[in-house]
Amino acid sequence: MLRAIYPGSFDPVTFGHMDIIRRSSRLVDELIVGVLNNKAKTPLFSVEERVRMLEEVTSDIPNIRIIPFGGLLVDFARRVDAGMVIRGLRAITDFEYELQMAQTNHKMAPELETAFLTTSLEYSYLSSTTVKEVAAFGGDISQFVPVPVADRITEKMKKKESVD
Ligand code: PNS
């Protein structure tokens, strides 16, 4: 039984993440999407909101669980008994950070393998950060994120505007 974790911030989930989620779910018995609850960062969405959005947009995938985690990824992997970490590579610029992370994780947990999927070409430019920036300036984000996510971002931006 191969259980893998696809970890990330998912603030918010984009079509690029969805591409990796769908493709990797076909390669493993169970895919756990690990949503980082990083207390040091201030995300646009709370971890509960990010988990809910991921659940909504992956509801048709049978072998998937969305689980929030804090602390080290290797500890989370041990807790859920996962043998593999999956990460997406969009471009060469991702490689250095991903290599460093995979090797650090391997040093701490030699039993844990990291596998990389190259993001499909049509999403290789896409990141949560740019989606948030486009949305903040009122741009159309429907080609970057699923409809329920786009709606939540728009709502969030409106709330932020009324506070700022
Ligand atoms: O979507 P992101 O922000 O690129 O995901 C990064 C993530 C969550 C995979 C990474 O920051 C992570 O694993 N954080 C948990 C802390 C940890 O284990 N750090 C050591 C790895 S070098």
Side-chain angles (χ1 to χ4, degrees):
M1 154 104 184
L2 177 57
R3 180 178 293 124
I5 299 177
Y6 176 44
S9 303
F10 305 106
D11 185 41
V13 57
T14 68
F15 282 137
H17 297 127
M18 293 295 297
D19 170 53
I20 300 292
I21 288 174
R22 261 181 214 295
R23 286 164 51 213
S24 55
S25 71
R26 291 187 210 115
L27 301 175
V28 300
D29 297 299
E30 185 179 38
L31 182 69
I32 292 177
V33 178
V35 185
L36 183 69
N37 189 8
N38 186 350
K39 300 251 165 34
K41 270 193 191 172
T42 315
L44 180 62
F45 291 99
S46 69
V47 72
E48 293 81 11
E49 289 173 313
R50 285 177 276 145
V51 166
R52 227 174 297 132
M53 281 189 277
L54 274 157
E55 280 172 347
E56 202 171 331
V57 298
T58 61
S59 59
D60 62 317
I61 303 174
N63 60 335
I64 197 168
R65 276 194 288 161
I66 319 292
I67 305 180
F69 78 100
L72 287 178
L73 177 61
V74 291
D75 292 335
F76 176 56
R78 286 187 179 127
R79 263 199 318 277
V80 297
D81 195 22
M84 188 180 278
V85 170
I86 290 174
R87 291 284 289 171
L89 281 178
R90 290 169 297 191
I92 192 75
T93 42
D94 282 340
F95 183 74
E96 215 168 313
Y97 169 63
E98 293 298 335
L99 180 69
Q100 194 178 26
M101 201 159 63
Q103 289 177 334
T104 308
N105 287 337
H106 192 71
K107 205 76 187 158
M108 292 188 286
E111 75 282 5
L112 189 65
E113 293 294 348
T114 300
F116 296 103
L117 291 190
T118 51
T119 305
S120 297
L121 262 184
E122 67 257 51
Y123 305 123
S124 60
Y125 63 92
L126 195 52
S127 78
S128 299
T129 306
T130 52
V131 171
K132 284 182 280 193
E133 180 151 343
V134 172
F137 292 109
D140 177 14
I141 51 169
S142 60
Q143 55 192 319
F144 306 140
V145 296
V147 173
V149 177
D151 291 347
R152 297 288 160 71
I153 298 173
T154 310
E155 245 172 66
K156 208 38 120 178
M157 292 296 172
K158 274 191 197 140
K159 266 190 206 150
K160 273 188 84 172
E161 263 171 34
S162 64
V163 172
D164 293 344

